[in-house]
Each structure stands twice: as structure tokens, then as C-alpha cells.
Amino acid sequence: MIAELGLALLWIAAALACLSLVAGALFLRGGPKDLATLVRPASVAQGVLTAVAFALLIALFVRSDMSVELVARNSNSLKPMLFKVAGTWGNHEGSMLLWLTILGLSGALIAIFEKRLREDTLVATLAAQAALSLGFFAFLIFSSNPFKRLPVAPPDGQGLNPLLQDPGLAFHPPTLYVGYVGLSVAFSFAVGALITREIGPAFARTMRPWVLGSWIFLTLGITAGSYWAYYELGWGGWWFWDPVENVSLVPWLAGAALLHSVAVTATRNALRAWTVMLAVIGFSMSMVGTFIVRSGLLTSVHSFAVDPERGTFLLVLMAVYIGGALTLFALRAGSVAEGKKFALLSREGSLVINNLLLTTILALVLLGTLYPIVAEAMGEKISVGPPYYNRVAGPLALILCLVMVAGPLLAWRKDDGKKLWSRLPLAIFAGAAVLFALILFGGKVGILPLLGMTVAGIVAVASLAPLWGRNLRRTPLPTWGMVIAHFGVAVCLAGMGAESAFIKERLVAAAPGDVVKVDDFAVKFVGVKPIAGPNYTAIEGTLIATTPSGQSFMLRPEARTFPGLMGTAPTETNEAALLTRPGGQLYAVLGQPVPSDDGTADRYQLRLWWKPLVWWIWLGGALIAVGAALSMLGRAQLLAIWRTRRTRKAQERFAP
Amino acid sequence: MKAKHQRLILALVALVGVGGAGVLAASALRDEAAYFRTPVEVAAGKTEVGEAMRLGGMVAKGSIVRQADGLTIRFVATDGKASVPVEYKGIVPDLFGEESGMVADGRMRGDGTFVADRILAKHDERYMPPQMGDMPKDMKAAPKA
């Protein structure tokens, strides 16, 4: 019954989305006011019902109801509970339902909490959000029904790809989805504001927390995904420039540009048309990403579950939404009057340059990702790899960082070049110090890591400059947010540079008792033993790493074997062991046994890496997210209301 | 400065920026786009010694030979039309085996051997690079041992 109820709820929710769209459209064309009052409750109900349907799907997975096709294909009764739950969205249908749930819930949140916008703009926004949902409801119900029953229930399911059975991956896709869908809200706001021609600071301030929120989740999702690839795949890399990675980076770049331009629109009422355009681009990029991953148009080492028919459906949806929004933009952009003036050397000017650079990087990454498709259409099969991306994105990212140094130190509207230089000596000194230290003691360092670490030094010092001479307790939260996020970029950059410049690697065939030197560590290979996990068996190696000061640490890398289910071949995975130290991480992978020909003790392949400062990459990502979160908190209406109430109370108390 | 001049300067900056990026992308694409090679292309002499590239192919049956150091393996990558000997020193990833698809980063050595720095990990045994789509069906569908 659960599955049938779930499907019924989806249909009702779709009908409610239809109602919101029609009622909203009629109201906006001059219909009775009652229609507008319908839209809010319909949006809330739609979100709640979709969420309940998603909860029912989770329940089916938890109960291992094998009569449902999706469960039978993607779950197994022997799986640990966390992965049964995560299995719900670890597949195409489930993840689309999750997407719709987040879309519906964010619509509900707008309907409940948004009080700043004019009523007609709000109705237009909710109608746009309903139109988005409706397309995805159609996609889900007609082409990928998650609640489909099997005529005969199999005794047990096929399970989930063992590589995906990892807590990191259980939470990584939902995080990214919240980010993607948050951008859909910005898109709906942009469409709503274009329809009612209300584009100005009020609209920008309303959109801003949504942009920040979605960007926080995108940042966390990408950071977590990178860390997952780093420790789970056993290859020790943290960025691959794979199409699937790129399509999450592209909306992140659009979001980064948008949150800077929306700041200009909100505070200075400038860059209005550009902000609206970016909001449209941002969500378009998340749709392009979903389309690429789902359609199988691009093969990627991360690809899973591809189906051309679904690809076509998504392509049509994409054409309708993006094409519709762009047409609307073209019709209305002219009526969006020019904003306030500013000089080139000003905060606004630096943000314009920031936006230009971010969108250029976006375009270059997208070009590299899509180029193979175009080339294939012209009869040539090629593939674009890391050398391309490093060459185009690396230099631009470094220039972007230098703009980031200057931007926060410039005044709004107009500033003086000489004054800017007078604010920078400490930062330039820091950069020079890093550069000299690297040249003197660093040995042979590649040009990109060298520049990266130098710029990191400049950015780290300069990012703290806005706090200079301020009362730290009275510094507004958004300023703190900016400082922390920019500092996070420096930390991230330093980690990337140090890791690629100073990585040390040892690859050995070690017998029990052997000691391997890697950087300052003496790593002793104690031996291996077989162990059993909940649904796998494994060989576990024991390593003892000793520092020069005599401290010892245990590392236990594993080579796991998952039994093949329902006739499939068994799968093997590597679990790397990580030792995190202040200066970096020691990374150990256990390989295959090396057969001995003289009958002595078996040796094992062992790969050891010393990765200096590598964890700074993810620390930097986390700091960026924390900074954005502080900025969002500082701008949230709730906090402002709470503050004014408190000050009012305090004033009342001291009133004569 | 007048607003009109200012907009002109901004437009010029944008134009120079976008133009520069375009040139950068075009040159990078020309140099680096032929990143993925199949054994046929290697045999046809489309690759240069020492140029960074990615090689895709099927690991030929019975071709994996371990070296005495226990770390280096040699095997033959084939696409059904041509073969390239590959040398790799390291731990092979999950899902690597004879008669299965293989993708590796590395470069050609003067003696015609492809030296792999890394053999790529895959999420899924069904993954197949698009360049290998032309291989004979029976090779693609070969069951794993």
C-alpha cells in the first residue's frame, strides 16, 4: 500500500503545482484577488505532500520491500541501515524525487516566510517555482516512477555499488541537490521580478539569502565530494577535472558571481540586469549539469544509470525553462533602467571584474566539458583533460584572487589608486616573504604552485585587512563572513600549492617487519590479517608510523571484497588509511600480495604518500562555507527583527 | 570622467578579457584536446614521445606480466585493431583485470611502450570511454574472469 500511496501523493502534489501556476497566471493577467490568496497555501501543500511521498520511499527502502522495482534494483536486505536509507537517493528515480522534494519545500518556505516582496511579485515567483516543479513532476511520473511495482518480487535485491557505500557519499548528493535547487529559487525570483518589473534593491535583498544558502551547500557538496574521491578511490587525488565534477563546479562559479553581483544590486542599486541574467544562468547551469549526468551524453568515470530517453525529456524541459527565461529577459531587460553610476576604481568596479573573471572561467570549463560532444558530432573523437583546464583556469583563478585582495579595500562608488596602494604594504610583504622562502628553501617548484602559494600569502593577509582598526565586537556579521570566506580561499590555495609542490611518494613491496621511509616518517609494515565487515570481507594491513621525535601512530589500510549478488562478479575496493598531522597527511594504500618465488613470507604492495598541508584544501572549503553562512545570518530578517526588538525593549526599560 | 567614457572603458576591458580568454582556450584546446588516444591512433603515429596523454583500451587476455620487483606490471592494451604495450608501476585500481576496459594517464616512451603514471579508477564496471565504442561487440561484452 505504501508505494501506491506515494504515487497518489505525487499526483496530488502535481495537481497542486498546476493550480498554483494557473491561479498565479490568471491573477497576474488581472484576475480576481482571491486567486492570489490561493497560491500560497497551494505551494505549501505541494511541498509538504512531495516530502511525505519521499518519506514513504525511504520507508520502502528501510523495510526492504523487494516488490518495488527501485528497491529491488538498488538495495539489499543485508545492507547496513545507513546505506539502505542512502540507497533511496543513490539512484536516478530516488534522486529525482529528492530534487522535487527540495524544490517543493523551498517553494513552501518562500510562501510562508517571504514578507518583503510586493504581492504580485511573490505570486509570480511562486508561479514560476510551480512551473519548474510541474516539469519535473511530469518527468518523474511519466518516465521514472520510483514507486513502480514488480510483477514478481525477487527474494532479495541487487544491492548498491560498493564504492557508493560510504557515509561521505550518502550525504554528498543531497547536499549538492540543495545547492542546485536553491539556485532554482533565485531563478524563480528573477522570473517573478521580470514579470512584474520590480527589479531593485528590495528584490536583490530577498534573493540574496537564497543565493548564499544554495552557494553554501554547493561549496560543502563539492568539498565533501572532493574529500570522498580523495580517501575512497585510493588514488590520492582531490580534483580530476572529470565532466561530472565540472558540472558541479560550473553552477558554483555562477553562484559565486551571483552572490557578489547581488550584493551590488542590494546595496548600491546597480548591475540590475546583470544580476537577473546571472540568476538565470545559475539555475540553467545546474540543469545542464543534471542533464549531462543523467543523459549519458558525456561518459565520465563517475557516470551511472544512463538512459537516452530521459536525456531527451530533460533536454526539452531545459529548452523550455532556459529559453523561456531568456526570452522574458530579452523582452524586459530594456525596461530595467540603468542603476547608479560608479567609477571603475571602486568596490563596484572590482566586483564587475570579479564577475567577468568568474563567468569567463565558467565559460572555459563548460567549453572544455562540452567540446568533446561537439567534436564527436563533427566526426572526431577527442577528450579534454587536466592539461587544458589547468592551463586556462589556473592563471585566471590567480588573477581573480588578486582582484579579491583589492576589492574589499576599495570604497563604494569611487576610490583613489594611491590610497589603495597605501593599504596593501603588509600583504605585498607577506607575498614576497612566501616567494623568497620558496625560492630559497623550496627546491624545484612548478610555476603554478609557486604563484599559488605566493598569492595565498597575499590573500591571507589582505583578507584580514577589513577588520583593521575596527571594534571587532561591533563589526557586522556580513563583514566577518567576507573576511572568513576570503581567508578560506587563501587556505585552500595554500593547500593546493603545497600539496602539488612538495608531495612525497613511496611505492614498495613490503614484507612484514620492513621499514619504509617517507618524508620524516619511518613506517613499519607489521603485517596483514583477514577481517569481516557487515557485507564484505577484507584484508587489513597494520602499519606503525614513527616521527623523528619518537611518536608512533597506527594506520590500518584495507582491501575489501564485496561478494557479487545475484550472479554479478565480486567487487574489490581499497580503503586508504589516513594519518592527519598539523603539517599534512600520511596516506597509505594496501595493494595486492606479491607472490614470492622462494617460499619466503608474502610481500604486499604498499603505497605511501606524504601530502603536505593537503587537509588545508578542505579546511579552506569549510571556511568559505562558514563565511557565507555568517554573511547569511547577518542578513537574515529574523536576526534583524530580534535585534530591533531587543533594542526597543532596552530603550523602554531606560525610558523615564 | 564622463559616464559614457566609463562604460566604453568597461566594455573594452570586458572585450579584451573575453578575447584573451578565447585565445587562451583555443590554443590550449589545440595543444591539449587530443588527450585521449586509442591503440589504433598510437599505431598510426598520432602521438609524440613524452606528450601527456590518456590511453584507453582493453587489457589483452593473458598479457598481464608481473615483474620481479612485485610492483611493476606489463600488459598489452588493445582495441581489436592495434596493440600497445603498457608498463605501470603501482597498485592497480579496483575493477582492473584481463579482458576489461582500461584507461590510463601517462606518456609514450621512445621504445613504443606507454608508461602509465596512473590507471584510472572507475565507479562502475559498465563504464566505457566513448572512444572505445567502435570496438567489436564481443570484446566489449567479454565476461570478467
Side-chain angles (χ1 to χ4, degrees), chain A residues 394-405 427-428 430-432 434-435 438 447-463 486-487 489-491 493-494:
Chain A
L396 287 175
L398 289 180
I399 300 173
L400 181 64
C401 286
L402 292 177
V403 175
M404 196 175 86
V405 165
I428 294 171
V434 172
L435 187 63
L438 287 173
I447 184 77
L448 215 53
L450 185 77
L451 287 177
M453 283 184 279
T454 306
V455 171
I458 300 175
V459 172
V461 173
S463 64
H486 286 183
F487 191 74
V489 173
V491 171
L493 200 58

Side-chain angles (χ1 to χ4, degrees), chain A residues 161 163 228 240 299-302 342-344 360 364 381-383 385 387 391 507-508 572-574 592 594 605, chain B residues 3 6 10 21 25 27-28 31-33 35-36 66 70-71 88-90 94 118 122-123 127-128 130-131 134:
Chain A
N161 186 339
L163 279 173
W228 170 80
F240 200 64
T299 24
S300 140
V301 287
H302 298 284
F342 56 85
L344 199 58
T360 309
L364 293 177
K381 284 177 181 168
I382 57 135
S383 141
R391 197 160 134 190
L507 175 71
V508 292
E572 290 175 3
T573 72
N574 266 312
Q592 274 146 348
V594 179
Q605 295 180 336
Chain B
Q6 179 158 353
L10 207 59
S27 86
D31 294 356
E32 319 283 3
Y35 188 59
F36 192 105
R66 284 180 182 286
L71 298 168
Y88 175 67
K89 188 173 178 183
D94 321 322
R118 187 167 76 213
K122 298 175 287 183
H123 280 199
Y127 168 69
M128 184 70 61
Q131 284 85 352
D134 299 340

Side-chain angles (χ1 to χ4, degrees), chain A residues 559-647:
Chain A
R560 290 183 181 169
T561 308
F562 290 79
L565 296 164
M566 296 180 76
T568 55
T571 337
E572 290 175 3
T573 72
N574 266 312
E575 294 292 306
L578 296 177
L579 169 66
T580 306
R581 302 286 301 147
Q585 268 183 338
L586 186 64
Y587 187 113
V589 186
L590 182 70
Q592 274 146 348
V594 179
S596 52
D597 25 44
D598 56 350
T600 51
D602 257 16
R603 293 180 299 163
Y604 273 82
Q605 295 180 336
L606 201 59
R607 176 165 244 156
L608 296 166
W609 271 298
W610 170 246
K611 292 166 167 287
L613 304 192
V614 68
W615 54 269
W616 284 26
I617 298 172
W618 304 291
L619 173 73
L623 281 176
I624 295 170
V626 167
L630 283 181
S631 192
M632 188 172 148
L633 261 182
R635 308 215 183 267
Q637 242 187 340
L638 280 176
L639 208 69
I641 293 168
W642 179 71
R643 267 203 191 137
T644 46
R645 270 194 204 146
R646 211 175 51 155
T647 43

